[in-house]
Amino acid sequence: MSTPPVYVLGGAQTDFARNWTKEGKHFIAGMREATVGAMESARIEPREIETAHVGNFAAELYAKQGHLGAFFVDIDPAFSGLPTSRHEAACASGSISILAASAEIEAGRYDLAAVVGIEQMKTVDPATGGEFLGTAAWYEREAKGIEFPFPKLFGRLGDEYDKRFGLKDEHLAHIAAVNYSNARRNPLAQTRNWFMSEAHAQKTSKYNTVIGGRIKVSDCSQVTDGAAVIFLASAKYAAEYAKRRNLKLDSIPRILGWGHHTAPIEFGAKVAESRDNPYVLPHTRQAILDAFRRAEIDSVWDLQGIETHDCFTTSEYMAIDHFGITKPGESWKAIEEGVIEMGNKMPINPSGGLIGAGHPVGCTGVRQMLDACKQVTGAAGEYQVEDARKIATLNIGGSGTTSCAFVVGK
Amino acid sequence: MRGENYKVVILGANGTMGGGAAAMFAGGGCHVTMLARDPAKAREGLIDAQSIAKAEALADNVTLGTYDHDMDRAVAEAALIFETLAEDLALKHEFLHRVDHHRRPDSIVATCSSGLSIADMARGRSESFRRNFLGIHLFNPPHMIAGTEVVPHDATDPAVTATVVEMLRKVFRRKVIIARDRPAFAGNRIGFKVLNEAAQLADEHGVAFIDYLVGPHTGRAMAPLATIDLVGWDVHKAIVDNIHARCEDDEAHACFKLPAYIEKGVQEGHLGDKTPERGGFYRRDGKAVEVLHPGTGRYEPFKAPARIDFVERMKSLNRVGRYGDAMAALAKASGWEADIARQVVIGYAGYALNRVGEVAESADDIDTIMSYGFNWAPPTVIIDLLGPNRAIGMLQRYNLKVPAVVEQAAANGDKLYKGGMLDYGRTFVG
């Protein structure tokens, strides 16, 4: 028996350049704005929403507040009594929320779900924020007492590539430059007005200091306040939705495939486990392959673009071969040939990704799905990929620990 | 239009806007020649630009030079000549005359002036120059404030205006409007009306009280008197004096009368944040903050004003994103303090929308420049959140002119603001 389809009706996100703390805002303001904006954009009435899932990593730390699912109810009186929940899987929290909501749709429990991704991060100084992010690793073993543990962990990912295949930092610099360049075309990207050049990204300098290992400031994603909301629907609701708007049902995108795998949490254990595997993070590779299989696509070349998890340049470097754009260890070839750039064979992160668009941790998976939806409906404006019919997303929690991949298309 | 082949010359490299402009143009991929009186001053501009861009590699897109040795050649090669010189018409004429002599016939010449008439600056120049000349008014600091006014004069070729607007939007990611060549253009005309009104009110009610009463909760990133300190008292005086002298028929003409205590303060070197030892409305000594008593000219230790219920209510509602409820709380509040706050807030929205057709083409343009040039709530949002009928009632109560667009909205039941909460939410502070 085939799985019932899950439709993506669109949504909205906040401007990732904002600083909610400077605005004197509680995160509920961002959640409210994104939800109201998403309902306006998708033309959905509050009373139509039957369930809500909130992805968030660490509001307990950043905002001293748990129980985020309950905050959705505060947005509109019509939401009182709505079943809601919050999901956490570090930087993959957003995708885990999508999986939970889509499972409910597939099970026939509900016909219309709101999925919220949200994180408020600018409440603390960078060092404290780095400490909080360390709880996405095995904190006691990998983060406690270490300044900025995550850049160091993803520096080790680069080191592992270097050891197995060789890695030149100039290729990482190119990844940074491409993401910043893409972000300039995204009106909601955090870095849309920031300066970046490959020369700047290549050199360690006063303004581009080393954060940990081979990771410099330019290799890092951003500290971001942000919220994104998408709506997932059953075939029954989507058919009514399409009819009311004079749309064809097949013009509405669906989640065509998904993959979800969790690796050992310690980075050292991951690397030890994959020693004899062609892929450095085989569980991430498997999540991608599962999404491809469920979407009934043969390879990455059936896609027109990818929104991937570039929390650091090394994670995008990893994604290039794990998606199968190159053979394992040869991501540099795709970089040198320009394959990943806009207008070429496989644009990666048209939005600017986590480096360019921003990385509000628990929001990212939902933002990626929203961008994938914009691409396949031709609504991505200046960062539209030409003739985008199928777009994949890859969202990773921890140091390659929780991997979620989706294929979105029509 | 983009890339290293697009050459930009900046005159006044070390001025207030030189570094910011260089960071913007070089960041967009242009090759920028930064010119100043001597090499050291040009380098100061580059260091400022690198600091703004947070990138030493910005220098890869920049050449430095001086007016004596490099200007004529650089101007001859440039596609865009952007002057950010001091606000002195004679000085501008001197340089623009020279630009006129050396520029390519197809190059665009722009001034960053925030106060002088574009037509006055173009006077006496060649026909080709006049056709290709306009204002590009960046707000300071340009890397933080995306709002930009493009200001053509009567002889500017509309195709040149359109090219510049497109370039600023697409290449440099600016929020652009076309403003009319009127005193202070659009944003400053509206914004400084409110700022000076707050300064006038401070004379009677005190600095800390006014900044509290019509502070960020009323739809602005920063309290008004703190904003004047940031802008500089000298700049504030120049802008409001100019409007007061040249806009005598303005319905809010009295709001542009510079308070005597500011006039005196400027003479004595109290220019706001740029003179930290003398201060402006506020003076900081380490962690201690002093506040000006406008009546005596003395500074007193800052004491937070007594809390006012409706102000605290508005802040609390903004904090959780209930902006409409916050405006309703303002509308319903009682007491003389609420009357002052309402008069300033509705006065801002009303004055701004009465400028449609005078300083900019549309209410949408005025919304854009107030939202992205001042980080203030767009005027139409204030009308929409209050409801046009209630807004009209408030305007009439305070004897303020009702804008035609608000009357139309009340008659048709239309919403005035073109965007949504995601666009304006950032302007209401909790």
Side-chain angles (χ1 to χ4, degrees):
Chain A
M1 189 179 109
S2 65
T3 312
V6 176
Y7 288 83
V8 189
L9 304 182
Q13 69 164 88
T14 58
D15 179 350
F16 281 5
R18 288 170 63 178
N19 181 325
W20 294 346
T21 301
K22 281 192 180 166
E23 292 174 22
K25 298 282 169 63
H26 186 278
F27 64 74
I28 181 63
M31 194 190 286
R32 188 187 310 279
E33 288 183 30
T35 305
V36 171
M39 289 191 293
E40 285 171 0
S41 164
R43 291 179 290 160
I44 285 172
E45 295 296 319
R47 60 179 168 72
E48 296 180 89
I49 298 168
E50 297 174 332
T51 180
H53 294 264
V54 178
N56 171 263
F57 166 49
E60 288 86 347
L61 298 173
Y62 285 109
K64 212 160 190 177
Q65 180 64 60
H67 206 171
L68 266 73
F71 279 84
F72 190 83
V73 173
D74 193 66
I75 293 169
D76 192 284
F79 295 159
S80 190
L82 208 68
T84 69
S85 51
R86 175 263 185 100
H87 308 272
E88 191 277 311
C91 306
S93 302
S95 288
I96 295 295
S97 304
I98 294 169
L99 283 172
S102 57
E104 285 188 336
I105 302 281
E106 286 168 0
R109 289 186 185 179
Y110 304 108
D111 289 310
L112 181 62
V115 184
V116 181
I118 187 161
E119 204 79 52
Q120 180 174 20
M121 302 177 73
K122 293 180 179 172
T123 52
V124 293
D125 62 81
T128 307
E131 164 95 354
F132 292 170
L133 290 168
T135 63
W138 189 323
Y139 178 77
E140 279 191 14
R141 295 184 183 177
E142 297 180 291
K144 192 175 179 185
I146 296 172
E147 193 180 35
F148 299 116
F150 259 88
K152 292 183 175 73
L153 285 167
F154 276 91
R156 285 172 63 192
L157 177 63
D159 295 343
E160 192 61 27
Y161 263 91
D162 203 1
K163 197 168 90 185
R164 294 189 193 188
F165 312 105
L167 172 64
K168 289 183 181 171
D169 287 346
E170 69 194 51
H171 292 125
L172 301 181
H174 191 82
I175 286 173
V178 170
N179 279 301
Y180 275 89
S181 171
N182 290 351
R184 286 185 82 85
R185 287 187 289 272
N186 177 352
L188 300 174
Q190 186 170 359
T191 72
R192 58 189 184 261
N193 287 321
W194 296 13
F195 176 84
M196 178 53 64
S197 71
E198 216 162 323
H200 173 69
Q202 278 185 13
K203 274 187 283 188
T204 302
S205 65
K206 177 177 157 192
Y207 296 110
N208 196 23
T209 52
V210 171
I211 303 292
R214 68 199 309 150
I215 300 293
K216 301 188 286 293
V217 169
S218 57
D219 292 301
C220 300
S221 56
Q222 310 306 323
V223 172
T224 311
D225 292 340
V229 174
I230 56 165
F231 297 108
L232 301 184
S234 67
K236 179 175 160 240
Y237 182 89
E240 288 167 12
Y241 179 90
K243 195 175 166 190
R244 285 210 307 265
R245 290 160 183 78
N246 257 339
L247 299 169
K248 288 185 175 166
L249 182 59
D250 60 12
S251 72
I252 299 175
R254 285 180 289 139
I255 296 178
L256 299 174
W258 58 272
H260 175 199
H261 284 274
T262 306
I265 190 165
E266 272 189 281
F267 187 75
K270 289 183 188 78
V271 170
E273 193 186 56
S274 75
R275 189 170 296 127
D276 299 321
N277 194 298
Y279 292 92
V280 177
L281 298 176
H283 298 292
T284 303
R285 166 74 175 161
Q286 193 56 49
I288 293 166
L289 290 180
D290 286 358
F292 284 3
R293 176 177 49 79
R294 291 184 172 110
E296 298 178 351
I297 64 173
D298 295 330
S299 76
V300 71
W301 304 113
D302 290 332
L303 304 168
Q304 287 73 48
I306 293 168
E307 281 288 334
T308 197
H309 197 89
D310 55 324
C311 50
F312 299 92
T313 50
T314 50
S315 46
E316 180 167 332
Y317 192 87
M318 176 274 299
I320 293 169
D321 65 2
H322 281 54
F323 264 102
I325 295 171
T326 66
K327 290 178 186 163
E330 294 184 359
S331 298
W332 58 273
K333 285 187 179 171
I335 295 166
E336 286 192 358
E337 289 165 9
V339 171
I340 63 170
E341 294 169 34
M342 289 293 278
N344 291 347
K345 270 174 80 181
M346 189 53 60
I348 295 186
N349 292 340
S351 68
L354 287 62
I355 288 173
H359 182 28
V361 171
C363 170
T364 286
V366 182
R367 194 279 304 158
Q368 289 177 324
M369 177 72 75
L370 176 63
D371 269 321
C373 181
K374 285 181 185 173
Q375 289 293 349
V376 298
T377 54
E382 287 183 51
Y383 62 103
Q384 178 68 49
V385 173
E386 203 178 329
D387 194 29
R389 284 162 284 118
K390 291 186 176 69
I391 298 285
T393 68
L394 173 63
N395 187 200
I396 297 172
S399 57
T401 309
T402 299
S403 295
C404 296
F406 292 99
V407 176
V408 178
K410 292 187 270 192
Chain B
M1 185 56 54
R2 187 175 181 183
E4 60 188 20
N5 294 328
Y6 195 81
K7 293 185 176 175
V8 177
V9 166
I10 294 177
L11 306 176
N14 59 323
T16 313
M17 303 300 282
M24 181 184 87
F25 286 119
C30 300
H31 185 90
V32 179
T33 302
M34 300 180 76
L35 299 177
R37 291 212 178 273
D38 61 58
K41 286 192 161 55
R43 181 151 294 280
E44 273 174 34
L46 172 61
I47 290 167
D48 187 29
Q50 287 172 313
S51 155
I52 288 166
K54 294 191 173 62
E56 282 151 323
L58 187 86
D60 296 347
N61 292 1
V62 175
T63 302
L64 302 179
T66 65
Y67 301 136
D68 288 346
H69 290 99
D70 308 289
M71 177 171 158
D72 298 345
R73 179 187 43 78
V75 163
E77 292 173 357
L80 172 67
I81 299 109
F82 190 59
E83 76 80 12
T84 65
L85 300 157
E87 293 281 69
D88 172 341
L89 187 60
L91 177 79
K92 304 239 192 213
H93 269 300
E94 179 196 329
F95 275 85
L96 294 178
H97 173 74
R98 206 168 139 190
V99 167
D100 196 2
H101 190 69
H102 292 281
R103 63 180 277 276
R104 295 182 342 211
D106 63 336
S107 68
I108 295 168
V109 187
T111 171
C112 193
S113 175
S114 62
L116 300 174
S117 154
I118 307 300
D120 285 351
M121 273 183 266
R123 197 153 292 130
R125 301 279 71 81
S126 68
E127 195 198 328
S128 159
F129 180 104
R130 287 164 58 75
R131 224 176 28 243
N132 287 283
F133 181 66
L134 41 61
I136 298 177
H137 178 218
L138 305 172
F139 290 76
N140 192 25
H143 66 292
M144 305 281 283
I145 303 178
T148 305
E149 293 172 326
V150 168
V151 194
H153 65 112
D154 286 348
T156 307
D157 182 344
V160 169
T161 307
T163 299
V164 169
V165 168
E166 169 98 350
M167 173 176 73
L168 288 167
R169 281 184 183 151
K170 292 217 162 147
V171 182
F172 306 110
R173 318 315 302 180
R174 314 299 296 179
K175 295 284 186 181
V176 187
I177 71 157
I178 296 174
R180 304 270 167 86
D181 186 16
R182 299 276 299 146
F185 311 137
N188 282 350
R189 171 78 170 274
I190 295 161
F192 279 80
K193 179 259 181 195
V194 178
L195 296 177
N196 201 56
E197 189 180 14
Q200 292 171 346
L201 287 164
D203 206 356
E204 184 181 349
H205 300 287
V207 168
F209 175 80
I210 289 300
D211 263 359
Y212 171 70
L213 186 67
V214 290
H217 61 283
T218 58
R220 63 197 79 247
M222 191 183 240
L225 303 174
T227 304
I228 298 176
D229 272 358
L230 180 74
V231 167
W233 281 31
D234 51 341
V235 174
H236 178 86
K237 171 181 156 54
I239 291 172
V240 298
D241 280 355
N242 183 37
I243 301 169
H244 192 256
R246 295 170 61 195
C247 300
E248 289 188 356
D249 296 336
D250 190 300
E251 78 262 24
H253 186 246
C255 290
F256 291 102
K257 171 76 183 152
L258 188 74
Y261 73 90
I262 294 190
E263 185 81 59
K264 185 165 173 283
V266 171
Q267 283 168 17
E268 292 170 357
H270 294 261
L271 304 181
D273 293 351
K274 63 178 123 175
T275 54
E277 71 294 345
R278 296 198 174 170
F281 288 105
Y282 299 93
R283 191 164 68 181
R284 287 167 186 82
D285 184 10
K287 282 190 178 171
V289 179
E290 295 177 313
V291 62
L292 175 72
H293 186 291
T296 64
R298 283 199 285 272
Y299 287 82
E300 300 164 348
F302 176 83
K303 199 175 142 207
R307 289 154 69 97
I308 299 171
D309 283 349
F310 83 86
V311 172
E312 295 303 318
R313 175 100 183 115
M314 289 179 75
K315 286 158 85 170
S316 160
L317 288 163
N318 284 342
R319 180 166 170 73
V320 298
R322 290 170 58 183
Y323 314 120
D325 292 340
M327 290 307 291
L330 173 66
K332 288 176 195 159
S334 56
W336 62 272
E337 300 99 331
D339 275 314
I340 294 175
R342 275 193 293 265
Q343 194 161 346
V344 171
V345 172
I346 197 66
Y348 154 62
Y351 182 76
L353 296 175
N354 276 320
R355 306 274 77 67
V356 173
E358 181 189 353
V359 300
E361 179 71 25
S362 66
D364 192 27
D365 284 344
I366 285 174
D367 281 344
T368 297
I369 208 61
M370 297 321 295
S371 176
Y372 292 99
F374 273 72
N375 284 327
W376 288 5
T380 63
V381 166
I382 288 174
I383 302 296
D384 285 348
L385 293 181
L386 287 168
N389 286 313
R390 183 151 63 180
I392 289 170
M394 281 168 68
L395 286 161
Q396 288 169 340
R397 181 171 166 190
Y398 301 114
N399 296 315
L400 298 168
K401 189 176 162 188
V402 177
V405 289
V406 178
E407 280 178 338
Q408 281 162 16
N412 305 334
D414 294 341
K415 185 173 156 283
L416 283 171
Y417 187 56
K418 297 249 173 79
M421 194 192 269
L422 280 166
D423 303 297
Y424 71 75
R426 68 188 168 81
T427 61
F428 288 99
V429 177

